[in-house]
C-alpha cells in the first residue's frame, strides 16, 4: 500500500481561486472505473473475517475518521487527509476501532 499525507506531501496549485492537489495520476487504457463514497461504522471490520483483494487498483482519500488497516506488509492507522493506493491483488482488511464513523472516497480502476 502507498500512503500519502496529502496536505504535507502534495503541492497545491490554482490559488487563490481554488486549491487543487493531484493525489494520483493514472495513464493507460482502462476497462472499468468505479467511484464510491464509503462510510465504515464504529466497530465494523471490512471484510467481516479474513482479508480481501480486488482485480482493480484501489485509490482512496479519507475525509473523516480513521481505520486500522493491514494491506500487504503494511500495518497501521489511516485517516482524515491521507490517501492510499492498494494495488490489484494485494490482500487487505480494515477495522474502525473508534467511536466515530470513517468516511472516504474510493476509486477502483481496472
Amino acid at each position: 500500500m502507498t500512503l500519502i499525507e496529502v496536505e504535507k506531501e502534495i503541492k497545491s496549485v490554482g490559488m487563490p481561486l481554488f486549491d487543487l492537489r493531484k493525489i494520483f495520476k493514472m495513464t493507460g487504457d482502462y476497462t472499468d472505473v468505479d467511484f464510491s463514497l464509503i462510510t465504515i461504522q464504529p466497530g465494523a471490520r471490512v471484510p467481516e473475517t479474513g482479508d480481501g483483494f480486488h482485480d482493480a487498483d484501489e485509490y482512496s482519500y479519507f475525509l473523516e475518521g480513521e481505520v486500522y488497516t493491514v494491506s500487504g506488509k503494511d500495518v497501521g492507522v489511516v485517516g482524515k487527509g491521507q490517501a492510499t493506493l492498494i494495488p490489484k491483488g494485494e490482500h487487505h482488511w480494515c477495522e474502525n476501532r473508534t467511536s466515530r464513523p470513517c468516511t472516504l472516497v474510493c476509486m477502483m480502476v481496472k
Side-chain angles (χ1 to χ4, degrees):
M1 172 176 70
T2 301
L3 174 66
I4 296 173
E5 297 281 349
V6 175
E7 293 204 12
K8 293 178 185 175
E9 298 178 33
I10 306 294
K11 182 179 177 185
S12 173
V13 298
M15 296 303 280
L17 299 178
F18 58 90
D19 181 351
L20 181 141
R21 295 170 194 264
K22 189 176 289 188
I23 300 170
F24 297 109
K25 181 179 179 179
M26 303 176 304
T27 58
D29 297 324
Y30 302 101
T31 59
D32 199 16
V33 176
D34 290 321
F35 188 75
S36 304
L37 178 65
I38 300 169
T39 299
I40 302 169
Q41 297 300 325
R45 186 184 190 281
V46 180
E48 289 185 85
T49 61
D51 60 20
F53 66 94
H54 312 285
D55 62 350
D57 291 328
E58 179 180 325
Y59 298 86
S60 297
Y61 180 73
F62 289 76
L63 301 171
E64 295 291 337
E66 66 183 42
V67 292
Y68 175 82
T69 187
V70 175
S71 184
K73 295 179 181 180
D74 298 307
V75 176
V77 175
V78 179
K80 181 178 179 176
Q82 295 181 309
T84 60
L85 163 59
I86 301 174
K88 67 180 178 180
E90 183 167 283
H91 289 258
H92 61 283
W93 61 272
C94 69
E95 183 176 26
N96 184 343
R97 296 180 173 178
T98 75
S99 60
R100 297 182 48 223
C102 177
T103 302
L104 60 134
V105 290
C106 177
M107 187 165 54
M108 304 293 286
V109 180
K110 280 189 193 177

